[in-house]
Amino acid sequence: MSFIFGIIDFKGKEIRQDEMNSLANAVGWEDFVIQTVVKGNVALGFCHHPKRKPYAGILVDEELMVVADARIYHPDNSLELPDGSTSEEIFTKAYRLYGLSCANHLNGDFAAAVIDRRKLEVHLFRDHIGSRPLTYLFQGDRLVFASHQYGLASSGLTTTALFEEKFINELFRFNGKYTQTEFKNIFKIIPGYFVTFSSNQTITTKYWKPEEIRKNKILSFDDTVLKIRQLIIRATYSRMERGKNGVHVSGGIDSTGIAAILADITADKTELSGYSWTPEKFEGSYIGIDEREYIEAFSAEKGIVVRYVKPLQNESVIDDLLPDFAEMPIEHPIMKMAGRDGVKALFSGWGGDEFVSLGNREVFNHLFFTFQWRTLAKFIIKSGIRSGSKQLVVEVLPSLIPFNLIHVYKAQYTDWSNLRLLKTRFILKNWKTIIFHKRKLHFGYGNRTRFALNLLEIYHLCERMDSWAIYAERYGFNYRYPLLDKDLLEFWFSIPVNFTYDRDCPRRLYREAMKGILTEKIRVRPNKQEGLRIAFTIQCRSDGDPYVQQLFKAIPENEHLSFCRIDQILKVMKQPEKRKRRKEIQRRRKPMVYLRYVGLVKKYVLSNQHL
């Protein structure tokens, strides 16, 4: 796609071209093609990979100035768009027809800015799920926006400082505010929202409201399966690019289901490349499933070549320390492969198990709070008394005990040993953040729909997509998420809750929809325990321990984070390995978080101070 950016001065001061050039060069990767338009106190621009056509554009007339980075798959029929309409033309027409509700009439991946000259207002829009990133800073009378915070931080247009609370949240795994970036004065637009700026106020407005979708009680299960099937196929087909497409093939039902649809509608199989996080060879031990068995079954049936990851020495550690790649670094090797292969779009089943293929998570909570206790008892018996009782405690107890006073499962434990890594003065300064942290639970009162909404509102989907989008542009492709299609999600929120779970067949709705499409061995598989991949990831990080220690010792004294205890971090790195996998993952994570933030400060804060 592209990155967009712009500067608006509400006092009417003209924007200099050199200011715009500085922003453009900071937002794009090296050799990106840049286009800008400067009109007095408003300057807009976009940049894109030199070997890919942009999906961004700028429109200027007497009333509006619009810059949009958008791929619209299914616009509202009332827009009556001619074939070949550009992203900025689509957004402009939607805004003229629907005003500030325009984004809700567009099904696609987009980030856009609309400058309404008549009202002297600027509106920043982001798509419903956050496929395209968008950030801003607003200082004095000047608004500066860009697709990502790192471009704003390194543009030289603002003084950059680390937002220390973000470091605390990442170290302790607390849930901070999604809108806050790693930099104090730079913020993100929330997916499904737009923000309006004028000379005297800033207003944030939610336009996508899945919580208001009513259940369609007359739907039958068979009709629901058919509609889900149609919407998934349409969402996948409409996202395809001419030329080469890529797709994740994990061996699970979500990503491999999308891969199966792509394989069926791709005549030339050489134009579709499969990628797996699983290693081709692994000699260590692991507990769980070897995904290669399922991947090879898919590959043989559909005639699609699937490539496995083969990281170089210390490559996984290097990827984990990229300062502007904060989520799921195991994806970075896939990106590099896709870039070398000339892939234009990389498809993912990301988000499927949050919605359309949601398993039996939260069923116990749902049945308890909707007083379906007879059915709940059957679930417990089916799961086994011990396992079922444990699940009941995990899903129900956190809602009964208020203020998050109890963490009943391991993912919710607070590792207070992290305090040893911080200086006393820093702890006292940030004690409220540490003690009264927010850790939003997925489970809550109400039915299963509330659980899905909670998954949306913790923003873990878009946190990962933010990071992926920035680096995908570097390698010349963009991501596609068919299972997060707006029409598909809105239909899913409308179906009767009891269709979304099944005691005997988890994810039955999605499995039925994929019948005859997805390789049968995968469609009926019982679970997705990625034992081999997880063991491989742990081994790579273990092998990289000496490299991490070497990096740590090579940091100049003046580049260490002043609020951390260096001796304690080094002590953590030298601890012997533990047998418990979860504790070992958390131990290794601590120095990695620290090293990433050292790199972040060096690249975007210290370097900016010398400008």
Side-chain angles (χ1 to χ4, degrees):
M1 279 188 164
S2 312
F3 291 140
I4 60 172
F5 49 88
I7 307 172
I8 298 94
D9 193 294
F10 284 97
K11 285 295 185 181
K13 184 179 179 180
E14 291 191 1
I15 309 300
R16 302 193 314 271
Q17 186 64 52
D18 65 297
E19 292 177 304
M20 199 58 177
N21 293 343
S22 178
L23 179 59
N25 290 325
V27 172
W29 292 102
E30 187 177 357
D31 298 329
F32 265 34
V33 178
I34 297 170
Q35 295 189 43
T36 61
V37 172
V38 179
K39 295 284 186 181
N41 68 317
V42 178
L44 304 177
F46 66 91
C47 56
H48 61 94
H49 194 282
K51 294 183 180 180
R52 298 288 183 266
K53 77 170 187 176
Y55 278 110
I58 301 171
L59 185 145
V60 179
D61 63 23
E62 293 181 357
E63 298 179 342
L64 301 175
M65 292 182 70
V66 177
V67 60
D69 159 30
R71 181 79 159 87
I72 307 300
Y73 307 113
H74 304 292
D76 194 296
N77 290 332
S78 63
L79 291 175
E80 298 180 353
L81 297 165
D83 293 339
S85 295
T86 62
S87 58
E88 68 275 17
E89 290 170 344
I90 294 172
F91 233 94
T92 301
K93 187 164 187 178
Y95 181 78
R96 291 191 194 282
L97 279 176
Y98 299 110
L100 294 178
S101 65
C102 62
N104 213 25
H105 294 267
L106 301 172
N107 180 354
D109 308 331
F110 58 80
V114 176
I115 293 87
D116 193 322
R117 292 171 153 182
R118 301 163 299 179
K119 299 179 180 180
L120 300 178
E121 292 178 342
V122 179
H123 312 290
L124 299 184
F125 296 90
R126 195 170 177 199
D127 67 68
H128 71 291
I129 206 67
S131 298
R132 301 304 297 167
L134 188 58
T135 62
Y136 70 91
L137 63 91
F138 196 21
Q139 292 181 317
D141 300 307
R142 178 166 287 198
L143 169 69
V144 186
F145 68 87
S147 291
H148 56 86
Q149 64 268 37
Y150 308 108
L152 293 177
S154 58
S155 66
L157 299 178
T158 182
T159 301
T160 309
L162 179 68
F163 185 66
E164 295 173 351
E165 190 174 310
K166 191 79 171 179
F167 174 81
I168 294 171
N169 290 332
E170 190 164 343
L171 181 65
F172 283 89
R173 304 193 74 178
F174 297 156
N175 289 336
K177 292 182 180 179
Y178 171 75
T179 53
Q180 179 64 63
T181 70
E182 299 93 331
F183 310 107
K184 280 186 177 180
N185 56 335
I186 301 177
F187 304 91
K188 294 181 181 180
I189 304 294
I190 304 173
Y193 283 71
F194 65 88
V195 181
T196 298
F197 303 88
S198 62
S199 59
N200 59 357
Q201 62 180 346
T202 300
I203 302 174
T204 299
T205 306
K206 184 176 185 179
Y207 71 82
W208 190 56
K209 301 176 181 178
E211 67 276 10
E212 296 182 359
I213 296 174
R214 294 185 177 182
K215 299 296 181 183
N216 186 347
K217 297 181 180 179
I218 65 172
L219 274 174
S220 69
F221 183 82
D222 289 341
D223 288 342
T224 301
V225 168
L226 179 60
K227 184 66 173 179
I228 289 282
R229 181 187 181 96
Q230 292 171 342
L231 286 171
I232 292 174
I233 292 173
R234 186 182 79 156
T236 304
Y237 181 79
S238 64
R239 283 166 169 76
M240 291 183 70
E241 294 279 358
R242 290 185 179 180
K244 199 156 193 174
N245 291 276
V247 61
H248 285 164
V249 184
S250 69
I253 66 173
D254 296 328
S255 66
T256 317
I258 298 302
I261 295 172
L262 289 167
D264 289 346
I265 58 182
T266 301
D268 183 356
K269 304 303 181 185
T270 63
E271 292 291 286
L272 181 61
S273 298
Y275 302 98
S276 172
W277 292 320
T278 302
E280 187 173 30
K281 295 181 180 180
F282 182 71
E283 298 177 355
S285 62
Y286 61 92
I287 300 173
I289 292 175
D290 184 345
E291 297 293 316
R292 294 173 299 190
E293 174 187 347
Y294 295 97
I295 293 169
E296 288 165 8
F298 163 82
S299 183
E301 179 181 301
K302 299 295 184 179
I304 301 299
V305 175
V306 179
R307 296 173 60 190
Y308 300 93
V309 293
K310 299 178 183 179
L312 302 173
Q313 184 178 12
N314 297 321
E315 185 176 10
S316 61
V317 173
I318 294 170
D319 290 339
D320 212 0
L321 297 177
L322 292 170
D324 29 34
F325 192 87
E327 295 290 327
M328 202 169 178
I330 63 170
E331 179 66 8
H332 198 234
I334 302 296
M335 291 184 172
K336 287 181 277 191
M337 283 195 287
R340 289 192 295 266
D341 292 344
V343 163
K344 294 183 177 179
L346 182 57
F347 283 74
S348 172
W350 180 233
D353 59 0
E354 273 79 13
F355 305 105
V356 180
S357 70
L358 180 63
N360 283 343
R361 284 186 302 167
E362 213 272 342
V363 172
F364 285 67
N365 179 284
H366 166 75
L367 295 175
F368 183 89
F369 285 109
T370 54
F371 302 103
Q372 300 179 61
W373 292 351
R374 180 178 296 180
T375 305
L376 176 60
K378 292 179 180 178
F379 260 89
I380 294 174
I381 294 171
K382 175 70 178 179
S383 304
I385 300 299
R386 184 174 180 180
S387 176
S389 299
K390 182 179 179 180
Q391 194 64 24
L392 186 66
V393 169
V394 167
E395 295 190 8
V396 175
L397 197 59
S399 299
L400 295 177
I401 298 179
F403 309 117
N404 201 25
L405 293 177
I406 185 170
H407 304 315
V408 293
Y409 52 107
K410 292 180 179 179
Q412 293 297 327
Y413 287 150
T414 297
D415 184 0
W416 294 112
S417 67
N418 286 325
L419 290 173
R420 301 173 188 170
L421 311 181
L422 305 174
K423 292 183 177 179
T424 303
R425 185 183 302 175
F426 182 79
I427 295 172
L428 294 175
K429 175 185 174 183
N430 294 281
W431 68 273
K432 289 183 179 179
T433 299
I434 296 171
I435 300 299
F436 299 110
H437 60 269
K438 293 182 179 179
R439 191 193 287 277
K440 185 171 183 178
L441 295 173
H442 299 164
F443 311 108
Y445 302 108
N447 62 26
R448 192 163 158 86
T449 303
R450 183 65 254 172
F451 172 65
L453 292 170
N454 288 344
L455 292 176
L456 272 178
E457 292 168 5
I458 62 174
Y459 303 115
H460 76 289
L461 287 168
C462 46
E463 283 279 11
R464 185 172 296 179
M465 292 189 290
D466 289 343
S467 191
W468 288 7
I470 295 169
Y471 269 79
E473 293 294 340
R474 177 181 183 177
Y475 298 112
F477 68 88
N478 49 86
Y479 280 94
R480 300 285 193 257
Y481 307 101
L483 296 183
L484 294 172
D485 178 84
K486 183 171 178 284
D487 292 341
L488 176 61
L489 290 187
E490 289 179 352
F491 176 73
W492 187 85
F493 275 106
S494 76
I495 66 178
V497 174
N498 60 299
F499 289 177
T500 68
Y501 63 89
D502 189 288
R503 186 180 72 241
D504 301 314
C505 181
R507 305 187 180 195
R508 182 188 173 199
L509 191 63
Y510 184 82
R511 293 178 195 270
E512 290 294 316
M514 288 290 104
K515 189 176 289 186
I517 298 175
L518 178 58
T519 302
E520 191 65 9
K521 181 174 182 176
I522 299 172
R523 193 184 72 85
V524 299
R525 65 176 294 185
N527 51 45
K528 187 194 172 181
Q529 298 173 353
E530 298 176 301
L532 188 151
R533 181 190 67 78
I534 294 172
F536 176 67
T537 302
I538 293 173
Q539 179 179 292
C540 287
R541 291 182 176 179
S542 177
D543 292 343
D545 278 354
Y547 177 72
V548 171
Q549 292 183 30
Q550 181 183 345
L551 287 177
F552 185 85
K553 292 176 180 178
I555 299 172
E557 186 176 348
N558 65 331
E559 291 182 5
H560 276 290
L561 301 181
S562 60
F563 49 81
C564 287
R565 297 179 62 185
I566 312 307
D567 59 326
Q568 290 298 317
I569 296 173
L570 187 59
K571 186 176 180 180
V572 168
M573 285 192 278
K574 291 182 177 180
Q575 287 177 354
E577 290 191 16
K578 300 177 181 178
R579 292 184 179 181
K580 291 186 177 181
R581 189 182 72 179
R582 183 180 295 277
K583 288 187 177 180
E584 184 57 26
I585 291 173
Q586 289 306 311
R587 181 189 71 81
R588 283 204 167 90
R589 185 178 172 277
K590 297 175 185 181
M592 301 301 282
V593 170
Y594 178 81
L595 288 173
R596 177 182 168 254
Y597 268 81
V598 167
L600 191 76
V601 171
K602 180 179 179 180
K603 185 174 180 180
Y604 295 106
V605 178
L606 296 179
S607 61
N608 198 34
Q609 292 174 357
H610 299 299
L611 294 176

